[in-house]
């Protein structure tokens, strides 16, 4: 398939806000694509490079290159060339990357150049395209949408499902099963204002402590243990104590869902940054483990000894969890079997308050009848935190003054719109420690797309958790609201920009 077709469809998708039209455009594209092209086409249209960052800065991309008159670039050829550019390293690699990129752009038409530059700078934003692509793929192949969604959930990504479905037809979806050793997308939670509100919405439920750790999915197949992050990255080698703890459990084959967290000698959680830093450490793991040991704490089980538990209600899955994992390795919880029972409601509220007093960030209220909706933000899981927080995207940052001279300080914060763009909600420089200032200066310069000497604009990729006291009307910002007393809590590198809070979520909190 020619890259020109992708560039055209990208423009057409961006030009419409109608989900049905987006789906129809993508379905037509998938019908014409070769099965091996689709795993590349899908991330391209969503604004992602399969190779990740290639070390190409905005200053290189803004140099004009005479475009080709006719389209000749193929999707496969472009992907191969970008992989080759990304693999360059060592002395002279920067010049070599620039030379090969210029050659690639010279083989592209003007429309293809525009698309490639947007792709390389992270500016191709089509708005929740992954979900639309799943439906479009189903329509293109004549497969039930629910079956395709489930296959994607079990495969961990859309690419392999797309290739198999288009090559072999709907019957091949049955080959995607829950498999030990192949991570699945985790189930996520919506938010609720209070424990009692969550109980009223869910009915019979349990209230579990919400740990301020790193989400992990642990697979064991006999002596083989693998540990995956929320983003399905394999971090087994970084957490040997987690793997060791799991090998002591009685079953031989299972999949567990939980958190890895660093605790102090008093049993209270250490700062999130310490846990995140430990999990992110790739060098001298033994020394890092001695300095900041982590422990696994599990709250769900997806499979045990060949039994797929995804469709079972939470109450049944927890019985399997309790028989497999000792109490000290499970999250604390309290059951609310009868939501109208005021004593049980009061006990749930007291449990939440005690969880906060022990240093954790809140609770998650879960409906006991609900299955495990992997890869979805299920309505049966509701997280409750004590303060107003939002996960926002950094759109730009201002160079600091005084003691912050030479460092990027004041952050421009944005919420995600339905069309994939971001609406600025305000700025903040509060809550930033010296360590965070140094880190964010380096990280934001890597994401920079422009610098006028005062403001550095960046690709909208970095997610930051912001605490705030409320919302107030403002004519300065596009959605008519801004955050009151916003301050930085932490960066969320475990989240992508597509997982940031939406404008709709923000506006729903306006009193």
């Amino acid at each position: 398939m020619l890259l020109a077709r992708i560039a055209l469809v990208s423009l057409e998708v961006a030009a419409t806000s109608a989900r049905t039209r987006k789906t129809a455009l993508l379905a037509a594209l998938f019908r014409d694509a070769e099965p091996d092209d689709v795993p590349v086409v899908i991330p391209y249209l969503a604004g992602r490079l399969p190779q990740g960052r290639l070390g190409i800065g905005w200053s290189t991309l803004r140099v004009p290159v005479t475009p080709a008159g006719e389209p000749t670039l193929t999707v496969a050829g472009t992907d191969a060339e970008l992989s080759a550019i990304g693999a360059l390293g060592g002395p002279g690699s920067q010049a070599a990357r620039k030379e090969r990129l210029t050659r690639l752009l010279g083989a592209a038409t003007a429309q293809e150049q525009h698309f490639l530059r947007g792709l390389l700078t992270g500016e191709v934003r089509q708005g929740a395209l992954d979900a639309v692509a799943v439906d479009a793929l189903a329509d293109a192949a004549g497969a039930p949408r629910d079956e395709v969604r489930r296959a994607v959930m079990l495969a961990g990504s859309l690419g392999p499902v797309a290739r198999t479905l288009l090559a072999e037809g709907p019957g091949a979806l049955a080959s995607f099963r829950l498999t030990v050793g192949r991570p699945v997308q985790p189930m996520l939670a919506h938010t609720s204002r209070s424990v009692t509100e969550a109980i009223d919405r869910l009915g019979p439920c349990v209230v579990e402590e919400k740990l301020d750790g790193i989400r992990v999915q642990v697979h064991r197949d006999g002596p083989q243990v693998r540990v995956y992050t929320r983003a399905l990255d394999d971090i087994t080698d970084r957490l040997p104590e987690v793997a060791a703890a799991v090998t002591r459990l009685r079953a031989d084959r299972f999949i567990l869902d939980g958190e890895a967290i660093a605790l102090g000698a008093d049993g209270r959680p250490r700062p999130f940054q310490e846990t995140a830093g430990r999990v992110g450490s790739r060098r001298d793991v033994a020394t890092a483990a001695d300095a900041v040991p982590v422990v696994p704490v599990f709250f769900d089980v997806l499979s045990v000894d060949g039994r797929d538990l995804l469709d079972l209600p939470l109450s049944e899955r927890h019985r399997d969890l309790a028989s497999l994992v000792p109490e000290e390795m499970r999250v604390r919880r309290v059951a609310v079997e009868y939501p109208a029972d005021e004593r049980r409601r009061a006990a749930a509220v007291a449990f939440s308050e005690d969880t906060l007093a022990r240093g954790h960030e809140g609770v998650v209220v879960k409906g006991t009848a609900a299955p495990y909706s992997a890869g979805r933000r299920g309505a049966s899981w509701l997280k409750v935190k004590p303060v107003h927080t939002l996960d926002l995207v950094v759109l730009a940052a201002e160079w600091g003054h005084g003691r912050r001279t030479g460092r990027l300080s004041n952050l421009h914060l944005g919420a995600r719109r339905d069309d994939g763009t971001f609406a600025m909600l305000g700025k903040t420089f509060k809550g930033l420690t010296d360590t965070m200032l140094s880190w964010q200066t380096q990280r934001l310069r890597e994401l920079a797309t422009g610098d006028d000497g005062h403001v550095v604009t960046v690709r909208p990729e970095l997610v930051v958790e912001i605490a705030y006291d409320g919302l107030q009307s403002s004519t300065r910002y596009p959605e008519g609201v801004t955050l009151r007393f916003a301050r930085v809590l932490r960066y969320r590198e475990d989240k992508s920009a597509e997982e940031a809070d939406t404008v709709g979520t923000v506006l729903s909190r306006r009193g």
Side-chain angles (χ1 to χ4, degrees), residues 62 82 115 153 165 189:
R62 70 178 179 180
L82 291 177
F115 176 74
M153 169 195 77
L165 180 59

Side-chain angles (χ1 to χ4, degrees), residues 125 185-186 188 215 230-231 375 377 383 390-393 416 422 461 463 492-502 505:
R125 301 271 170 187
Q185 298 169 353
L188 305 174
R215 185 82 173 264
R230 169 179 168 152
R377 197 172 292 279
K383 56 186 176 183
L390 289 167
D391 289 330
L392 301 177
V393 174
R416 182 166 50 86
F422 295 88
E461 295 179 6
V463 178
R492 296 300 305 264
E493 286 199 288
D494 58 322
K495 287 192 173 185
S496 66
E498 287 73 21
E499 295 178 283
D501 283 311
T502 64
T505 295

Side-chain angles (χ1 to χ4, degrees), residues 3 6-7 10 44 111-119 124:
L3 183 67
I6 312 304
S10 176
Y44 273 18
Q111 190 176 80
E112 290 171 326
Q113 282 188 4
H114 177 76
F115 176 74
L116 283 171
R117 286 191 171 98
L119 186 63
V124 177

Side-chain angles (χ1 to χ4, degrees), residues 350-372:
F351 175 84
S352 174
E353 293 172 348
D354 178 65
T355 298
L356 294 172
R358 287 187 284 106
H360 299 299
E361 64 172 350
V363 295
V364 182
V365 185
K366 301 178 179 180
T368 54
Y372 189 95

Side-chain angles (χ1 to χ4, degrees), residues 262-489:
L263 301 175
D266 57 358
R268 295 176 64 84
R270 296 171 68 160
F272 175 80
Q273 287 78 8
E274 293 188 23
T275 297
R278 166 61 210 289
V279 174
S281 177
R282 293 176 171 84
R283 296 181 178 178
D284 198 358
V285 171
T287 299
D290 286 340
V292 185
V294 300
V295 296
V297 185
F298 298 107
F299 50 74
D300 218 323
V301 57
L302 313 187
S303 172
V304 177
D305 288 338
R307 291 187 297 121
D308 181 339
L309 309 180
L310 291 174
D311 294 327
L312 295 180
L314 173 64
S315 55
E316 293 186 30
R317 297 200 309 276
H318 189 265
R319 281 198 288 270
D320 279 289
L321 180 70
S323 66
L324 173 63
V325 178
E327 185 175 4
E328 63 270 17
M329 288 175 58
R330 303 195 308 265
V331 297
R332 295 184 176 91
R333 58 180 356 223
V334 63
V336 184
E337 300 95 338
Y338 305 102
D341 187 333
E342 291 300 329
R343 290 177 299 176
R344 299 308 301 164
R345 293 167 70 91
V349 172
F351 175 84
S352 174
E353 293 172 348
D354 178 65
T355 298
L356 294 172
R358 287 187 284 106
H360 299 299
E361 64 172 350
V363 295
V364 182
V365 185
K366 301 178 179 180
T368 54
Y372 189 95
S373 300
R376 299 179 61 186
R377 197 172 292 279
S380 59
W381 285 16
L382 300 173
K383 56 186 176 183
V384 182
K385 295 184 179 181
V387 296
H388 300 298
T389 65
L390 289 167
D391 289 330
L392 301 177
V393 174
V394 179
L395 307 178
E398 299 172 9
W399 288 109
H401 303 283
R403 60 183 294 271
R404 294 189 176 188
T405 297
R407 294 190 286 185
L408 290 171
S409 176
N410 206 15
L411 302 175
H412 296 201
L413 306 168
R416 182 166 50 86
R417 294 191 179 103
D418 290 340
D419 64 0
T421 61
F422 295 88
M424 187 172 173
L425 298 178
K427 309 176 185 181
T428 189
F429 54 82
K430 298 182 181 298
L432 293 167
T433 64
D434 288 343
T435 299
M436 293 174 74
L437 279 166
S438 297
W439 181 87
Q440 77 181 23
T441 299
Q442 178 181 344
R443 185 72 182 92
L444 293 175
R445 293 183 73 176
E446 294 172 356
L447 299 174
T449 59
D451 183 355
D452 64 6
H454 173 56
V455 177
V456 175
T457 55
V458 299
R459 297 197 303 272
E461 295 179 6
L462 190 59
V463 178
V464 60
E465 186 175 4
I466 299 294
Y468 65 102
D469 288 355
L471 298 171
Q472 63 186 38
S473 298
S474 172
T475 58
R476 176 179 297 181
Y477 298 108
E479 299 298 331
V481 297
T482 189
L483 306 176
R484 295 182 65 248
F485 303 113
R487 60 266 188 203
V488 174
L489 291 180

Side-chain angles (χ1 to χ4, degrees), residues 76-341:
T78 302
D79 181 60
E81 183 60 18
L82 291 177
S83 293
I85 291 172
L88 293 172
S93 60
Q94 185 173 355
R97 278 197 297 268
K98 184 175 181 179
E99 179 185 351
R100 295 191 69 155
L101 179 64
T102 300
R103 193 184 313 139
L104 177 64
L105 291 173
T109 64
Q111 190 176 80
E112 290 171 326
Q113 282 188 4
H114 177 76
F115 176 74
L116 283 171
R117 286 191 171 98
L119 186 63
L120 289 164
T121 58
E123 294 176 359
V124 177
R125 301 271 170 187
Q126 309 290 12
L129 197 67
D130 285 337
V132 176
V134 172
D135 291 346
L137 177 65
D139 294 352
R145 290 182 176 183
D146 286 347
E147 292 184 16
V148 176
R149 292 188 192 111
R150 184 176 179 86
V152 172
M153 169 195 77
L154 296 174
S157 65
L158 181 54
V161 176
R163 181 189 287 113
T164 301
L165 180 59
L166 293 177
E168 303 177 28
L173 293 175
S175 64
F176 293 96
R177 301 182 180 89
L178 184 63
T179 303
V180 176
R182 186 170 67 190
V184 300
Q185 298 169 353
M187 184 172 178
L188 305 174
H190 282 287
T191 59
S192 182
R193 296 181 181 179
S194 69
V195 171
T196 54
E197 177 188 78
I199 292 172
D200 289 338
R201 287 169 61 180
L202 296 179
C205 59
V206 294
V207 182
E208 295 182 347
E209 57 187 0
K210 188 178 190 305
L211 306 183
D212 199 13
I214 296 293
R215 185 82 173 264
V216 291
Q217 188 177 117
V218 180
H219 293 234
R220 177 181 171 184
D221 188 356
Q224 182 73 32
V225 175
R226 309 308 301 175
V227 182
Y228 301 95
T229 67
R230 169 179 168 152
L232 310 188
D233 296 325
D234 189 333
I235 57 170
T236 308
D237 293 342
R238 301 182 220 168
L239 299 178
E241 63 266 58
V242 172
V246 166
T247 58
R248 293 193 290 269
L249 301 181
R250 290 188 294 274
D252 288 328
R253 299 183 71 246
F254 52 78
I255 303 173
L256 295 171
D257 192 1
E259 299 266 337
I261 187 170
L263 301 175
D266 57 358
R268 295 176 64 84
R270 296 171 68 160
F272 175 80
Q273 287 78 8
E274 293 188 23
T275 297
R278 166 61 210 289
V279 174
S281 177
R282 293 176 171 84
R283 296 181 178 178
D284 198 358
V285 171
T287 299
D290 286 340
V292 185
V294 300
V295 296
V297 185
F298 298 107
F299 50 74
D300 218 323
V301 57
L302 313 187
S303 172
V304 177
D305 288 338
R307 291 187 297 121
D308 181 339
L309 309 180
L310 291 174
D311 294 327
L312 295 180
L314 173 64
S315 55
E316 293 186 30
R317 297 200 309 276
H318 189 265
R319 281 198 288 270
D320 279 289
L321 180 70
S323 66
L324 173 63
V325 178
E327 185 175 4
E328 63 270 17
M329 288 175 58
R330 303 195 308 265
V331 297
R332 295 184 176 91
R333 58 180 356 223
V334 63
V336 184
E337 300 95 338
Y338 305 102
D341 187 333

